[in-house]
Structure formats: C-alpha cells, structure tokens
Amino acid sequence: MSLLDRSRTRAGEPDAAALRHTVDRAVRAEWLGYHRFWVAEHHAVPGIASGSPPVLMAAVAARTTTIRVGSGGVMLPNHQPLVVAEQFAMLDALFPGRIDLGVGHTLGFTPPVRRALRHDAAEPDTFAADLTELRGYLVGGGPVTARPRLERELPVFVLATGRALEAAGDAGLPVVLGGPALDRADLTDRLRDYRARVLAAGARPYLALSVDVLVADSVEAARELALPEAWALAAARTRGEFPALEPVDPDRPLTDRQRAAVDVAVGHTVHGDETAVTDQLGELLARTGADELLATTSTFDLGALAESDARLAALFDPPQHL
C-alpha cells in the first residue's frame, strides 16, 4: 500500500503551499506505515505545483527516514537519460536504499507546453530506446559513467500508458497501471502479454495499480470528498484547463456535459466506508492480480484527506504507531 501525491493546488492558497502539504503528507504516510510515497511531474498546469520530481523527492526524503520515495513519474521524453540517471544517483547517494525511479512517456498536455518543452507531437516515439539508455547509465554500462556511481540497484518502474506496457515487459520492469487503462475491455489480455514479456526477459512481473481512493463514514460522505477533483477534471475536459481544487459547492452550476464528466470521474474513484472500499479494492486486485496499490487521491479538505489516508492504511496493516 503506497501513496502518490500530485501536489494539487487549492483555491485561496499560493502554489508553494501545495508543495509543503505534499511533504507534510509524506511524513504522515511514513507514520501510518505506507510502503512508498511518490510525487508527480506536470508542467504549466494551474492545478499542480510539482514540475520537478527529483527536487520534491529530496525534500520528502529529508523529512522522512524509512518510507521509500519515488517519482510517479519522470516523463522521459522531457529529459536526457543521462541527466535523469545523475539526478537519481544523487538522490540514492543522499538517501541510500529509499529511492524509486518511476518513468513515463506522456508529453505536455497542450501545444504551448509541448513547444516550451521543445516537443512536437509528430515526433517519433523513442521511449523504449530512451529507457534502455537510462538503465545503461544506472548500471554503469553506458557510453559514459553517471556520477555518483550507484552502490546498489535502483528500482525502475514504468507508468504503463499506451505502448509503454509492452516496453516495460520487454525490459523486464515493474509497471504502474491506472486511469482509463483499467477499464479497457482487453485489460486481461494486455496484462497477460506484459507478464509473458517479463518472464521472457528473465524477470518477475510486478504490477502496481494507481487508483483514486477515499475512505469516509459513508458512500455519500466519500463522494463529497471526491467532488473537488471531479469538478477539476470536468473543467479540464470542457474548458481545457485543469484548475486548483475548490471547496464543495452543492449549488455549483454545471452544464450537462460537465455534470456527465463529474459523474464519470466520481465513478472512477474507489470511495465509501471501510466495507465498501474493501469490496471495491478486493474486486480490482482479484481482476488484475496486482501486487501493490498506489493510491492517488486528492481532495480540497486537508483534514479529511489525512483521515482518509489513515483509514485506508488501517484496511491493510495496522498503523505502526497505533
């Protein structure tokens, strides 16, 4: 059981507050017994303050002592593989044995962001080659040596969107799967193919599910906690901008299209009391054979989010200090 925090901004707060909230949440996550705490990479998105996972990971790792800290993920098309290897080698040198490298291949969400990142959507997909190059630097087999030299193997995970699932399988790497991919009709076939590719590469398949999860006193209370994120997703799909989280407003005017988008977003969130969440997660884990759950939840109310994290942790293992 692990957490991924995207450093969601909140209406009425400066962006910097979102980063401080992320670090505070990581400290609580360690206390609650979570296995990993990951941070995200998004560029020029009004609702997300985290554009540099290695910088934020350093802050999180400095405030914690045992929890694994990772990136969910570094978008490899935005970076030179050598630079990524150097950044994570430095993190592992400073926080030995606690660093995970999650990589993805998603480009910027909008044409202006892609241009700012020096990308063209028509460029060829070089993710598999970049991933191979990156791993070469991490194990000391690249054309140059990434410094500082790693003293141990650094875990590499692939955020498996699109063809990245195939690339991860061929590389024998663990994957993180979430979002619309979990609703695909061919999910079972895709996972079977991934596992076969990993075994052919001489490695062990490992699947982490990235899922929004909210635990509250009732399904209705948990649904209310899911609404701020759902409203933001609806705004992104209808206005083209992913906004900061806002408090729940039951009288918020919504178009039919926005209301439908909100319903879809809430429907993709595992939410309810402990019994309801246990049943939903049990079905999902049984259907996918997943090894790990990476909860990615956000809501406006920080106190409610902290309580949800605590209740979710207690469903799997008792919090270590309670």
Side-chain angles (χ1 to χ4, degrees):
M1 172 65 71
S2 303
L3 291 181
L4 186 153
D5 187 281
R6 289 177 294 158
S7 301
R8 290 289 275 119
T9 59
R10 288 170 172 79
E13 289 187 346
D15 288 0
L19 300 175
R20 293 191 289 269
H21 295 326
T22 293
V23 176
D24 290 343
R25 190 181 186 191
V27 172
R28 290 195 304 272
E30 179 174 80
W31 189 83
L32 289 167
Y34 280 95
H35 182 51
R36 310 181 202 273
F37 189 91
W38 282 14
V39 300
E41 174 183 331
H42 292 274
H43 297 283
V45 177
I48 298 177
S50 175
S52 178
V55 174
L56 187 51
M57 287 172 60
V60 168
R63 284 278 307 278
T64 54
T65 56
T66 58
I67 196 168
R68 299 196 64 87
V69 180
S71 57
V74 169
M75 296 301 135
L76 206 48
N78 299 335
H79 310 279
Q80 298 297 331
L82 175 61
V83 174
V84 175
E86 290 173 335
Q87 290 171 338
F88 279 77
M90 289 180 66
L91 285 168
D92 189 70
L94 294 169
F95 308 102
R98 296 178 53 208
I99 300 300
D100 299 326
L101 171 53
V103 296
H105 76 319
T106 302
L107 300 177
F109 290 143
T110 65
V113 172
R114 289 194 291 271
R115 286 194 295 270
L117 292 169
R118 303 299 189 267
H119 278 303
D120 185 331
E123 291 176 355
D125 185 353
T126 62
F127 178 77
D130 291 343
L131 180 60
T132 298
E133 183 180 350
L134 169 62
R135 295 183 71 206
Y137 293 128
L138 292 174
V139 299
V144 298
T145 302
R147 305 281 181 176
R149 284 194 174 202
L150 285 163
E151 297 180 6
R152 64 195 60 78
E153 182 178 359
L154 186 75
V156 178
F157 295 74
V158 175
L159 277 62
T161 55
R163 294 187 61 187
L165 186 60
E166 297 176 8
D170 292 338
L173 293 176
V175 295
V176 180
L177 197 66
L182 296 180
D183 296 323
R184 289 181 52 145
D186 63 347
L187 176 61
T188 299
D189 291 337
R190 295 183 76 227
L191 291 178
R192 184 183 300 114
D193 177 71
Y194 158 71
R195 290 181 171 115
R197 290 172 183 265
V198 173
L199 292 172
R204 184 177 78 86
Y206 191 91
L207 171 64
L209 297 185
S210 173
V211 186
D212 287 351
V213 187
L214 283 163
V215 189
D217 289 335
S218 66
V219 173
E220 293 75 17
R223 184 182 189 280
E224 185 169 299
L225 294 180
L227 284 176
E229 187 72 23
W231 286 335
L233 288 169
R237 289 167 184 162
T238 57
R239 301 201 310 260
E241 181 176 284
F242 191 61
L245 293 170
E246 298 179 0
V248 173
D249 177 5
D251 298 320
R252 177 187 295 265
L254 297 174
T255 66
D256 290 343
R257 184 182 174 197
Q258 288 172 329
R259 185 168 283 97
V262 167
D263 290 341
V264 169
V266 173
H268 284 147
T269 301
V270 173
H271 64 284
D273 61 11
E274 279 80 356
T275 299
V277 167
T278 298
D279 290 345
Q280 293 173 69
L281 291 179
E283 185 277 330
L284 189 59
L285 294 172
R287 178 161 56 91
T288 59
D291 303 280
E292 183 174 346
L293 178 70
L294 186 64
T296 59
T297 317
S298 300
T299 191
F300 180 83
D301 187 330
L302 289 167
L305 181 62
E307 181 180 353
S308 177
D309 287 347
R311 295 170 80 156
L312 179 61
L315 290 180
F316 284 77
D317 293 300
Q320 60 185 4
H321 293 296
L322 297 181

